[in-house]
Amino acid sequence: MEGEVSLIVSTGWLTGNQSDPHSTVTKTARSPSPVRAAPAPRRDPAASREALMTAAVAQFARKGFEGARVDEIAAGAGLNKQLVYHYFGSKQGLYLAALESVYVQIREKERRLSLGELDPVEAMAQLVGFSFDYLLEHPEFIALLADENRNKGEHILGSEKLRRMHTPFLDMLDATLAKGVEQGVFRADFDAVNVYISMAGISYFFFSNNHTLSAIFGRKLGSRAALAARRRHVIAFTLNALRPEGAG
């Protein structure tokens, strides 16, 4: 019968009586149902992209654009490297996405400072302190920027997204400076772009060159005490620079 198989079993082995090993009995048993393979887990595109982005930032920060390899990035994310090309098109596309992601993070956190709700001097003190703290906590940001500058900014030049995301930040900084000018606590001849470059630069240089500066000056500039002193310095330095001439 279909679905059944005949089993010829020696009665001697079934009963324990081996006197007639040639006598047999026919039994039937149903064949096992076919085993169905478990359905493959559904891929979560958002989670896959996030895993690739995390691995990409780490690899590009460590090895730069030229040194990082797509297969190593995919392996770090626990995914097939074909997904890199599926989601980002190329290694260049992934690198640009990594750059955009680190800029998005810092710009989003800057917006949460709500500078417009603060006194302008306090607002600038918070912004400078935040910038210092962010670089301390995110060395990958410094490494990626250094690598992109070695590449002459060629990837960032093609990103309209990066230019758009900086506009709200500059507007916020410009409004803070204008408020300070109106209150007579900031000088009127500084524009937002130059203030931002100076503010970011004095912290960026400290972290990007911390090892060489420590060696040259014989100080442990990465110690907790040195970091706290430097943080106070860059805040005071920026606020003093913004003060109107002749102000006490």
Side-chain angles (χ1 to χ4, degrees), residues 24-101:
T24 60
V25 61
T26 301
K27 286 185 173 283
T28 61
R30 291 188 177 276
S31 60
S33 300
V35 178
R36 294 181 179 179
R42 296 183 63 185
R43 188 170 64 213
D44 182 342
S48 296
R49 286 179 63 93
E50 183 65 26
L52 286 170
M53 190 59 58
T54 299
V57 168
Q59 282 287 326
F60 287 132
R62 187 178 304 117
K63 298 184 176 181
F65 174 73
E66 293 297 334
R69 295 173 53 188
V70 169
D71 55 349
E72 290 179 349
I73 292 170
L79 297 168
N80 189 298
K81 73 175 183 179
Q82 293 306 316
L83 286 179
V84 171
Y85 302 106
H86 175 70
Y87 290 125
F88 303 100
S90 64
K91 179 182 175 181
Q92 289 85 346
L94 179 59
Y95 183 70
L96 177 56
L99 286 170
E100 291 175 340
S101 74

Side-chain angles (χ1 to χ4, degrees):
M1 294 177 61
E2 184 178 356
E4 298 182 344
V5 294
S6 294
L7 301 177
I8 309 300
V9 186
S10 167
T11 56
W13 297 109
L14 287 172
T15 62
N17 177 13
Q18 302 180 27
S19 58
D20 187 5
H22 299 291
S23 63
T24 60
V25 61
T26 301
K27 286 185 173 283
T28 61
R30 291 188 177 276
S31 60
S33 300
V35 178
R36 294 181 179 179
R42 296 183 63 185
R43 188 170 64 213
D44 182 342
S48 296
R49 286 179 63 93
E50 183 65 26
L52 286 170
M53 190 59 58
T54 299
V57 168
Q59 282 287 326
F60 287 132
R62 187 178 304 117
K63 298 184 176 181
F65 174 73
E66 293 297 334
R69 295 173 53 188
V70 169
D71 55 349
E72 290 179 349
I73 292 170
L79 297 168
N80 189 298
K81 73 175 183 179
Q82 293 306 316
L83 286 179
V84 171
Y85 302 106
H86 175 70
Y87 290 125
F88 303 100
S90 64
K91 179 182 175 181
Q92 289 85 346
L94 179 59
Y95 183 70
L96 177 56
L99 286 170
E100 291 175 340
S101 74
V102 296
Y103 270 113
V104 164
Q105 290 177 26
I106 189 171
R107 292 289 92 93
E108 286 181 347
K109 291 183 178 180
E110 284 166 340
R111 283 197 295 272
R112 293 176 200 158
L113 295 175
S114 301
L115 300 185
E117 301 173 8
L118 302 173
D119 168 88
V121 173
E122 177 60 24
M124 287 305 302
Q126 284 213 21
L127 180 58
V128 175
F130 165 80
S131 298
F132 185 91
D133 294 341
Y134 192 86
L135 294 177
L136 171 62
E137 296 164 5
H138 295 275
E140 75 283 358
F141 183 65
I142 296 173
L144 283 169
L145 264 60
D147 185 61
E148 180 60 2
N149 275 287
R150 283 193 294 270
N151 294 322
K152 303 185 186 302
E154 63 180 82
H155 300 91
I156 287 180
L157 284 171
S159 175
E160 181 62 31
K161 179 179 180 179
L162 281 173
R163 285 188 288 274
R164 287 198 309 269
M165 79 173 66
H166 281 74
T167 300
F169 169 73
L170 287 177
D171 289 344
M172 179 177 67
L173 179 55
D174 191 57
T176 301
L177 295 173
K179 188 176 180 181
V181 171
E182 182 181 349
Q183 294 183 11
V185 294
F186 291 161
R187 57 192 298 162
D189 56 339
F190 283 178
D191 67 85
V193 172
N194 274 317
V195 168
Y196 173 73
I197 292 172
S198 297
M199 176 195 73
I202 56 178
S203 292
Y204 180 91
F205 182 85
F206 175 76
F207 287 109
S208 64
N209 295 274
N210 195 274
H211 296 296
T212 54
L213 291 172
S214 295
I216 289 169
F217 297 114
R219 296 185 182 182
K220 295 181 179 179
L221 296 177
S223 69
R224 180 176 297 181
L227 291 168
R230 183 63 186 177
R231 187 181 192 275
R232 290 192 299 269
H233 173 82
V234 297
I235 293 173
F237 192 88
T238 303
L239 294 180
N240 285 333
L242 289 171
R243 188 175 298 151
E245 293 183 10

